[in-house]
Amino acid sequence: MVMNILLQPWKGLKPQDKVIYMRWLLLAHGQGHSQCSIALLAEKLMMKASMVRASVTRLCLNEYVTRSKEGGQYVIAQPEIGDKNRELSEAKKSHIKQLLGEGEDLCGVRAESISKRLLKSVLVALSDDIGVVNMISFSQLSSVTGMTVQRLRRYRDELIDSDFILKFINGCNAPTLYKKAYSIFIIDPEGFGGGKVCVRDYLTQDCFSYDPLRAIQKGVKAWIWGVGQKRRSEVSRHNSDIRLYHMFDELISRKVRGGLEQNYQIRERKFNVLTDDPKLNREIAKSLRDHVNEYSIPICNIIPTLIPEASESQELDIYCFQRKQSMIILLNLPLKVRGRLVLSHSEEKLIEFESNDLKVDIQGFVPRFLDS
């Protein structure tokens, strides 16, 4: 019940008020301190008394907290949750409590840092098991967190720099391509039981006679140029090209999932950056088909080697995307692997995935070597 409040509207209150309110609810459920003085509450929450006092005052005005008849004591109220309940896994609940600072001394922590903890917690609650957050806008995040859109965007950039957010794709409103396209956040799932495989320098010239990223961009730009003046104008005006480039990632994900379906149970997944025009989706998929087929082969070789035999009966969720010339593979398994593709000196093994003591021969992949 406490976690459901995390995603409820928070109008007229500050982000730190929500963190304090939720931590007080957790305290009341665990230790029974539903009625406290400011001094006792600050002591139990291990937060600065002045911050707690200011938040409790605002919470009183919004009827989340009431003042007892004795005076000097405040009683926490539990408002109606509404119809936005969301079931969270125990791993997510535990991670959110950690992000909110349950049991942690926050006396020296400023409101700015506490606000970032709230945004992290909200993104975890909104994400699926492997960290993908779909169908969310900044206005919705603003309503849930009590932060301005400008502040949320600043925090987003900081969380990208710190690798909490692994990738962000802007929403847009380009009528001939998307009726309404929401933003996509991809966060690191390791804190709540997911895993990731990072293949460094995945799309570089090391194993090809051309620059793969440039070839992909050329294909997307050629497709954009062929969709007509009106659509080209919309793509430019609404920065929709970012979404179209991400379509390559989702096509890779689809190809990888299809290649693993013969041996594993793959969880159904809806992809998010397809346009509203099925014909256009088919055109761009066709224009990138050769690249998708070629670049998905190493991933299809790497994943089965990393998945424990005990997990073969588990329903797997897999999602791939580019980041800083590397390919990140998210899975609903507690994996943390970092490696790179390397050319093999053996004529029989053309390319390998190398990670610490692990080496995986990539079968069915014939790289186009540099002429040198």
Side-chain angles (χ1 to χ4, degrees):
M1 190 282 293
V2 176
M3 292 300 168
N4 290 326
I5 293 170
L6 187 61
L7 300 181
Q8 297 303 300
W10 201 245
K11 296 179 181 178
L13 288 159
K14 296 191 175 183
Q16 62 265 31
D17 301 341
K18 195 166 202 174
V19 173
I20 288 173
Y21 182 68
M22 290 197 63
R23 290 188 68 192
W24 192 359
L25 276 175
L26 291 168
L27 177 69
H29 282 211
Q31 301 180 28
H33 292 283
S34 58
Q35 180 171 315
C36 291
S37 65
I38 295 296
L40 179 60
L41 182 60
E43 178 188 336
K44 291 296 181 181
L45 296 183
M46 292 184 282
M47 299 181 75
K48 194 182 300 182
S50 59
M51 182 185 293
V52 172
R53 183 179 298 105
S55 286
V56 168
T57 300
R58 288 187 290 268
L59 290 167
C60 278
L61 292 174
N62 287 270
E63 300 181 345
Y64 285 92
V65 171
T66 59
R67 190 160 187 167
S68 67
K69 295 179 181 179
E70 294 82 4
Q73 297 283 315
Y74 294 87
V75 182
I76 190 166
Q78 297 183 13
E80 293 296 325
I81 297 299
D83 59 357
K84 293 187 177 181
N85 294 355
R86 185 183 182 92
E87 284 297 323
L88 299 178
S89 67
E90 291 303 317
K92 275 194 177 182
K93 290 178 184 177
S94 176
H95 190 51
I96 289 171
K97 290 178 183 178
Q98 180 185 1
L99 289 172
L100 294 175
E102 185 184 38
E104 185 179 345
D105 188 348
L106 301 182
C107 284
V109 177
R110 300 177 61 184
E112 179 96 348
S113 179
I114 291 174
S115 298
K116 290 178 192 173
R117 286 172 175 260
L118 176 61
L119 178 57
K120 286 182 177 182
S121 301
V122 167
L123 290 176
V124 169
L126 289 169
S127 74
D128 60 21
D129 289 345
I130 55 176
V132 182
V133 182
N134 302 318
M135 301 296 287
I136 191 71
S137 67
F138 277 98
S139 61
Q140 290 169 319
L141 285 176
S142 178
S143 173
V144 167
T145 61
M147 304 181 207
T148 64
V149 170
Q150 183 179 13
R151 187 177 183 183
L152 285 167
R153 285 176 174 155
R154 177 164 58 87
Y155 286 174
R156 173 205 60 193
D157 294 341
E158 292 176 10
L159 294 181
I160 289 173
D161 290 341
S162 68
D163 286 344
F164 180 86
I165 297 175
L166 299 175
K167 188 172 184 179
F168 173 77
I169 301 95
N170 269 314
C172 68
N173 185 14
T176 66
L177 294 173
Y178 301 98
K179 294 177 183 177
K180 177 63 178 177
Y182 290 88
S183 298
I184 301 170
F185 292 80
I186 305 175
I187 65 174
D188 193 331
E190 289 181 17
F192 48 91
K196 68 177 185 288
V197 179
C198 176
V199 187
R200 299 194 306 274
D201 304 324
Y202 191 82
L203 297 179
T204 65
Q205 287 181 287
D206 289 350
C207 301
F208 302 91
S209 59
Y210 63 94
D211 184 338
L213 284 177
R214 186 178 295 275
I216 294 164
Q217 292 170 355
K218 184 178 179 181
V220 173
K221 286 180 180 178
W223 177 82
I224 292 172
W225 184 255
V227 298
Q229 178 61 40
K230 185 176 181 180
R231 281 183 171 143
R232 282 202 302 275
S233 176
E234 281 192 356
V235 169
S236 175
R237 188 166 66 251
H238 297 285
N239 293 321
S240 304
D241 54 335
I242 297 173
R243 299 185 71 84
L244 297 176
Y245 292 141
H246 188 67
M247 191 184 292
F248 172 75
D249 292 344
E250 295 203 334
L251 289 170
I252 284 277
S253 296
R254 179 178 292 176
K255 184 69 176 180
V256 169
R257 293 162 66 86
L260 297 174
E261 278 181 339
Q262 296 179 353
N263 299 314
Y264 300 95
Q265 298 180 49
I266 305 298
R267 183 176 297 175
E268 188 174 336
R269 169 170 284 277
K270 181 180 179 181
F271 293 99
N272 307 293
V273 295
L274 297 178
T275 73
D276 294 330
D277 187 333
K279 182 180 178 181
L280 294 179
N281 294 333
R282 289 194 295 271
E283 287 179 4
I284 193 168
K286 183 178 179 180
S287 70
L288 295 174
R289 180 175 55 198
D290 291 342
H291 298 304
V292 169
N293 290 341
E294 186 171 16
Y295 303 151
S296 63
I297 290 173
I299 303 175
C300 288
N301 278 260
I302 294 166
I303 296 301
T305 307
L306 299 176
I307 296 175
E309 292 183 7
S311 300
E312 291 184 3
S313 60
Q314 179 180 345
E315 193 177 48
L316 297 178
D317 200 356
I318 302 170
Y319 193 81
C320 314
F321 60 94
Q322 301 168 62
R323 185 173 187 265
K324 298 178 181 177
Q325 290 193 320
S326 298
M327 185 66 79
I328 307 294
I329 308 162
L330 301 180
L331 301 101
N332 57 334
L333 293 171
L335 293 173
K336 186 177 181 181
V337 179
R338 186 176 179 86
R340 65 184 305 165
L341 296 180
V342 295
L343 293 175
S344 172
H345 297 295
S346 168
E347 294 182 0
E348 296 178 359
K349 303 175 185 177
L350 294 177
I351 195 166
E352 297 174 328
F353 172 70
E354 188 174 73
S355 173
N356 297 331
D357 298 328
L358 174 70
K359 286 190 177 181
V360 180
D361 299 332
I362 306 300
Q363 304 295 327
F365 178 76
V366 182
R368 283 166 270 186
F369 296 100
L370 294 171
D371 294 336
S372 59

